[in-house]
Amino acid sequence: MARVYRFNQLGGPDVLQLEELKLAPPGPHEVRLRIHAIGLNRADVMFRRGTYVLQARFPSRLGYEASGTVTDIGTGVTNFRVGDEVSVLPPDDPGVYGTYADEMNIPADSLIHKPPTLSFEAAAASWMQYLTAWGGVMHACRLQRDQYVVITAAVSSVGIAALEIALHAGAIPIAVTRKSDRHDVLRKMGIRHIIVSDGPGLCTEIEKITGANGLDCAFDAVGGPFLAELAAAMKPFGRIIIHGYLSNEITSFPVQTAIRKSLTVEGYFFAEILRSRTLRNDASGFLLEGMITGKLNVMIDRIFRFEEMPEAHRYMESENRSGKVVVIV
């Protein structure tokens, strides 16, 4: 039997129910994983509420990240052995392969070996935000050394990951946040350019930093009035990559600015990185090197116990976080 969190209706944290489910032997190309730690993401909260890009089918599991130890393997698995320590890469459908469990069967292709220098907590809290950030900043934005990149929602886990990756790539990141009290977090990371903004006036602040060079790209999690402001600050042929819609305001497309400057405005979803073997290998190579050398350091905000999952979700919905929330099993 495995202990698994599922939910049967959309709603708040109290819809999460801890159940005991019979766990069959791993099927072909699957492994059985004993989970030690689970990384929580804003996507988990949105999936539970019904506001995410994917919709739950009840009864639904949830959860994108975890780390643990392989305890059994199915036929056809050649790259993992019993006893291997691994991280779970975000699955296509968290309703089917959700990681909120103490044990689960999962396709071997969804796993990556855990570097011995990473704790289980860090290994469970790395891949969702770093894959999202790498795909947006390095792949979609095509960021180059010495280019300016704006990263909105900068103190979120994805925002922090994107800032780290931009620094690692030799670019010049500009952090945009609504939270003036989190500047110490960003300064400790080595971020020199920080803007506090809700949208209006953002273009002027960006231009003070970029000067005649102009803004090369933006990795935006907000939408709403930010999009027009980012477009106005862009240099010709700049790229705006939208990966979220945190704003409650309507996002209007700045068509005249986009035409005049030949801008690219592109929606982005992390799954495109995992669906491509080439992109997955490029991303994992870059990220593992950064994690092993210490250039990428997952920031864990708070740790909860497995039995405290609803409480962990309530904390996820607060505005007081800087970094990841982790649940230990």
Side-chain angles (χ1 to χ4, degrees):
M1 304 295 287
R3 294 187 299 160
V4 180
Y5 276 99
R6 298 198 298 181
F7 62 112
N8 286 281
Q9 61 181 353
L10 303 177
D14 291 336
V15 302
L16 299 178
Q17 300 295 318
L18 184 57
E19 305 174 6
E20 287 196 352
L21 302 178
K22 186 175 181 180
L23 191 61
H29 305 289
E30 286 187 337
V31 305
R32 177 173 290 177
L33 182 63
R34 175 74 174 93
I35 294 176
H36 300 310
I38 302 163
L40 272 57
N41 294 277
R42 185 176 292 273
D44 303 356
V45 173
M46 297 174 71
F47 187 66
R48 189 200 72 222
R49 290 176 180 166
T51 58
Y52 194 47
V53 293
L54 303 175
Q55 296 298 308
R57 296 181 300 277
F58 302 120
S60 178
R61 299 173 68 120
L62 74 166
Y64 270 115
E65 291 184 287
S67 63
T69 303
V70 174
T71 60
D72 197 5
I73 59 174
T75 59
V77 175
T78 59
N79 51 340
F80 295 99
R81 297 180 179 180
V82 172
D84 283 356
E85 297 178 350
V86 298
S87 293
V88 176
L89 299 177
D92 269 352
D93 188 347
V96 176
Y97 288 109
T99 57
Y100 287 17
D102 62 359
E103 198 169 8
M104 67 182 295
N105 293 330
I106 190 166
D109 280 348
S110 295
L111 301 179
I112 191 165
H113 287 95
K114 179 182 82 65
T117 54
L118 280 189
S119 67
F120 280 108
E121 291 82 2
S126 299
W127 287 98
M128 182 73 163
Q129 77 263 25
Y130 281 124
L131 281 170
T132 300
W134 183 91
V137 171
M138 301 303 296
H139 168 61
C141 275
R142 304 174 188 173
L143 190 65
Q144 303 293 317
R145 177 174 291 275
D146 296 326
Q147 287 187 331
Y148 285 98
V149 55
V150 159
I151 296 164
T152 64
V155 294
S156 68
S157 58
V158 173
I160 289 170
L163 291 168
E164 284 187 309
I165 288 171
L167 288 172
H168 187 21
I172 307 169
I174 302 171
V176 178
T177 176
R178 295 181 303 162
K179 302 172 181 178
S180 59
D181 61 331
R182 302 299 172 85
H183 283 198
D184 58 334
V185 173
L186 300 173
R187 295 291 186 200
K188 287 178 182 177
M189 293 174 57
I191 304 302
R192 294 187 292 117
H193 303 298
I194 304 171
I195 298 173
V196 178
S197 177
D198 285 326
L202 177 60
C203 172
T204 301
E205 295 300 315
I206 293 172
E207 289 176 341
K208 290 178 183 177
I209 296 169
T210 61
N213 292 319
L215 181 63
D216 297 278
C217 55
F219 185 51
D220 181 38
V222 181
F226 275 85
L227 183 57
E229 293 280 337
L230 291 171
M234 279 286 157
K235 68 191 306 183
F237 303 100
R239 304 179 69 84
I240 301 175
I241 308 303
I242 304 172
H243 70 101
Y245 42 93
L246 296 176
S247 176
N248 293 322
E249 300 182 51
I250 294 174
T251 301
S252 299
F253 184 74
V255 61
Q256 292 180 332
T257 306
I259 292 173
R260 178 167 51 84
K261 294 187 175 183
S262 299
L263 301 181
T264 296
V265 181
E266 182 179 321
Y268 164 75
F269 187 46
F270 75 89
E272 68 180 84
I273 304 303
L274 294 176
R275 291 168 185 160
S276 163
R277 179 63 60 179
T278 299
L279 290 176
R280 172 177 160 156
N281 289 342
D282 289 346
S284 59
F286 180 98
L287 297 175
L288 282 171
E289 187 270 339
M291 294 176 198
I292 292 169
T293 60
K295 295 174 182 176
L296 302 178
N297 293 285
V298 61
M299 186 181 298
I300 296 177
D301 179 276
R302 187 169 170 183
I303 295 176
F304 290 84
R305 292 182 294 108
F306 187 62
E307 293 77 15
E308 298 174 319
M309 188 68 77
E311 183 180 344
H313 264 240
R314 278 187 282 272
Y315 184 71
M316 282 288 295
E317 292 178 331
S318 73
E319 294 293 327
N320 300 318
R321 293 178 297 107
S322 294
K324 293 284 288 209
V325 174
V326 174
V327 170
I328 54 173
V329 184

